[in-house]
Amino acid sequence: MADSKTRGEAPGPTDIRNQLVRTEMLKASVWLGLALLIGACIILIQPILLIFAGIVMASMLDGGARLLGRVLPIARSWRLLIVCLGIVAFMAWAILFAGSQIADQAAALQQVVMAQIDRVAAWASEHGMGNLEIDTKTVTDNLAGTVGRVTAALGTVFGALTSLVMIMVLGIFLAIEPRLYERGVAWMLPMKAREDFYITTARMGFTLRRLMAGRLLGMVVEGIGTWLACLAVGIPMAVLMGLLTGLLAFIPNIGAIVSGVLLVLVGFSAGVDTGLWAIAIYFFVQTVDGYLIVPMVAKQTVDLAPALVLAAQILLGTLLGILGLFLADPIVAMIKVALEREAERNAGSQAGNKKAATGS
């Protein structure tokens, strides 16, 4: 039998010994892998968001342990344990002592809000703005539609509690030994990319801790301030208003608007004077948060443009649901840090090439 080379035959498309075939197969595998990765991210978006929420929780626990280390010179594990026990104690207090009061006020909140909405609709109809008929189901359906359809697991109370437990457990494990997981991810990268990876993750961790510290400080100030101010002027459901204002303060821009609308509606349910006091309380609390807390935190971390954060909240809230809305701010901050690091590295590379060219 004659040799294939002597007959002038070219390698077939399945012959991977050919350099051209190997190159094309490598390109095809890269594009196929990228398509599979995008598909996996779309299918697994819920677990990915839960993992990122766990990372955010870990940054808050780590930040609390670092802050506690300034006054308690003890081992980091003990400081982290104190922070976790403090969170558990606060949740137990909220459930045991304030739970019944909050539950009663929450039951009355829906009736109060819907009654005020009906009054606004009636006023609009009287002034020629159309016949507006709004019921509880309509409002609920609209709210459900605006937060997306992906996070179906968060649609029930049981699903929300399960997700919260998963986030807290994951955050605790990550906070206990963050270097272990960082080295594990770096191990999968090329050697030449690991140093840049460590620098980037260090900056992301610093930014995330500062960002979450500002969020928690704003939540405490707005929640307690609203609660005490509502008690002072006689606004109904003061405890619930303080709790909702504090929780919604975690969501910049949108959270303040929602909490303000609820506060004003509840305030006017007790009279015009009380409603005016509610408006004054809202603007005072937001002024303290916007002009004192936010600038103080922005000096220590990335300064995110409000329009950029709001656009990310609208986009992620629509695509990914309520969890995407909550995590929009940290996600944008992490992307910004990564882009800044990449720009810094490119600038350094260009400077090095220019220096080498000048020297030659």
Side-chain angles (χ1 to χ4, degrees), residues 253-278:
N253 303 324
I254 297 178
I257 296 174
V258 174
S259 62
V261 170
L262 292 176
L263 180 62
V264 172
L265 290 177
V266 173
F268 276 102
S269 68
V272 177
D273 294 339
T274 310
L276 295 177
W277 273 113

Side-chain angles (χ1 to χ4, degrees), residues 311-328:
Q313 289 172 338
I314 295 173
L315 179 62
L316 295 180
T318 303
L319 295 177
L320 307 178
I322 190 66
L323 196 56
L325 179 64
F326 270 87
L327 298 176

Side-chain angles (χ1 to χ4, degrees), residues 122-173:
W123 179 87
S125 299
E126 292 176 357
H127 289 77
M129 299 182 185
N131 186 16
L132 301 177
E133 294 183 359
I134 305 175
D135 56 6
T136 304
K137 186 178 184 302
T138 302
V139 176
T140 304
D141 292 342
N142 290 335
L143 289 176
T146 58
V147 296
R149 302 175 178 85
V150 179
T151 53
L154 294 178
T156 63
V157 175
F158 178 76
L161 292 177
T162 303
S163 300
L164 180 60
V165 171
M166 293 173 59
I167 291 171
M168 294 185 64
V169 172
L170 181 60
I172 291 173
F173 279 119

Side-chain angles (χ1 to χ4, degrees), residues 55-83:
I55 295 175
V56 173
M57 174 62 68
S59 70
M60 291 190 286
L61 295 175
D62 183 57
R66 290 171 181 263
L67 183 63
L68 198 59
R70 298 182 180 181
V71 294
L72 287 179
I74 56 179
R76 182 181 180 277
S77 58
W78 290 107
R79 287 183 272 122
L80 184 61
L81 178 61
I82 293 174
V83 173

